[in-house]
Amino acid sequence: MSVRDIPLAALKDQRTIDQFSCIPLVTSKYPSAVLYDYQLIDDFLHKSAIKYDADNLMRTRLIVNDDGEILAFYSLCAGTRRVFKQFRHVYSVPTIGRNTALPTIELVWFGVAAKFQNQGIGSEVLKVILRRVLKTCHNIGACLFVVDSLYVARNFYLNRGFVDIGQPHKQREDIYLGISMTEIASMISKVG
């Protein structure tokens, strides 16, 4: 299957967006809080992504197949985050004097269409995202990539080298996870 990474603005048919859903096909094995999180992801793409894009608050990109079907989407923005002192030392993240807020690129939204979940699409899309983040970092300067991770998705990121950056999250169960640009560059050079 051939896939493309396209900007949200390149999609001409809103119905294609409306057909996207990341809510698992079998919902009985998920608690209502998890299903609510999936619904938030869908709602963002359906109702807010175009406006956020137009207002330059973040950029949403779509992963589409040859038929124009959306397999996944992700939204990136710039930011700053405070991190654990331990995180800064382990990852040799640079700081400016005593300033503990680091320039970041942030993955705010990420969803894989339900029918493509558990097929490795999320891992492949994350590789696309990491390449884009590293390229962006070279153009704007950032030392950290941060993911606003849902509780249910944290192991997906932890298993790929992300760690808790130590910043409390507005949602008790959710977590901010990060990985340094140096680590991303190392990962990409190994994969090719």
Side-chain angles (χ1 to χ4, degrees):
M1 170 183 356
S2 172
V3 298
R4 294 174 293 137
D5 176 11
I6 64 169
L8 178 64
L11 192 64
K12 303 297 181 208
D13 190 351
Q14 176 69 33
R15 291 176 296 183
T16 304
I17 293 173
D18 294 340
Q19 293 171 357
F20 177 90
S21 179
C22 67
I23 298 171
L25 299 174
V26 179
T27 59
S28 59
K29 64 180 183 178
Y30 294 96
S32 61
V34 171
L35 295 175
Y36 175 76
D37 287 342
Y38 281 118
Q39 185 64 55
L40 287 176
I41 294 168
D42 280 2
D43 287 349
F44 171 77
L45 183 61
H46 298 160
K47 300 174 184 174
S48 303
I50 291 172
K51 179 170 177 18
Y52 278 53
D53 232 53
D55 291 344
N56 292 313
L57 296 173
M58 63 183 72
R59 289 287 181 245
T60 296
R61 298 191 60 90
L62 309 171
I63 305 298
V64 298
N65 62 17
D66 291 332
D67 297 328
E69 183 177 21
I70 300 172
L71 281 63
F73 81 94
Y74 62 94
S75 300
L76 298 172
C77 71
T80 60
R81 295 282 170 193
R82 295 188 187 284
V83 299
F84 278 136
K85 186 175 185 178
Q86 176 186 355
F87 180 90
R88 288 194 314 271
H89 291 297
V90 170
Y91 286 98
S92 301
V93 177
T95 58
I96 302 169
R98 292 184 179 171
N99 186 359
T100 59
L102 302 174
T104 62
I105 299 173
E106 303 196 12
L107 178 63
V108 183
W109 295 98
F110 182 22
V112 175
K115 73 181 198 177
F116 297 107
Q117 291 175 8
N118 301 312
Q119 298 177 31
I121 298 289
S123 295
E124 291 305 311
V125 173
L126 185 60
K127 290 176 189 174
V128 169
I129 294 169
L130 292 175
R131 284 185 179 92
R132 180 166 301 284
V133 163
L134 193 59
K135 183 177 180 180
T136 302
C137 168
H138 291 301
N139 291 320
I140 66 167
C143 61
L144 188 63
F145 178 47
V146 174
V147 174
D148 182 357
S149 176
L150 297 174
Y151 179 78
V152 297
R154 75 183 184 290
N155 285 335
F156 173 81
Y157 298 108
L158 292 172
N159 291 336
R160 286 156 181 83
F162 288 77
V163 297
D164 182 353
I165 66 169
Q167 186 178 52
H169 197 285
K170 60 189 172 293
Q171 301 294 325
R172 185 173 42 87
E173 297 86 9
D174 294 350
I175 187 170
Y176 288 114
L177 300 170
I179 190 168
S180 72
M181 294 301 166
T182 305
E183 290 295 311
I184 293 173
S186 175
M187 290 167 55
I188 289 173
S189 69
K190 291 176 187 173
V191 188

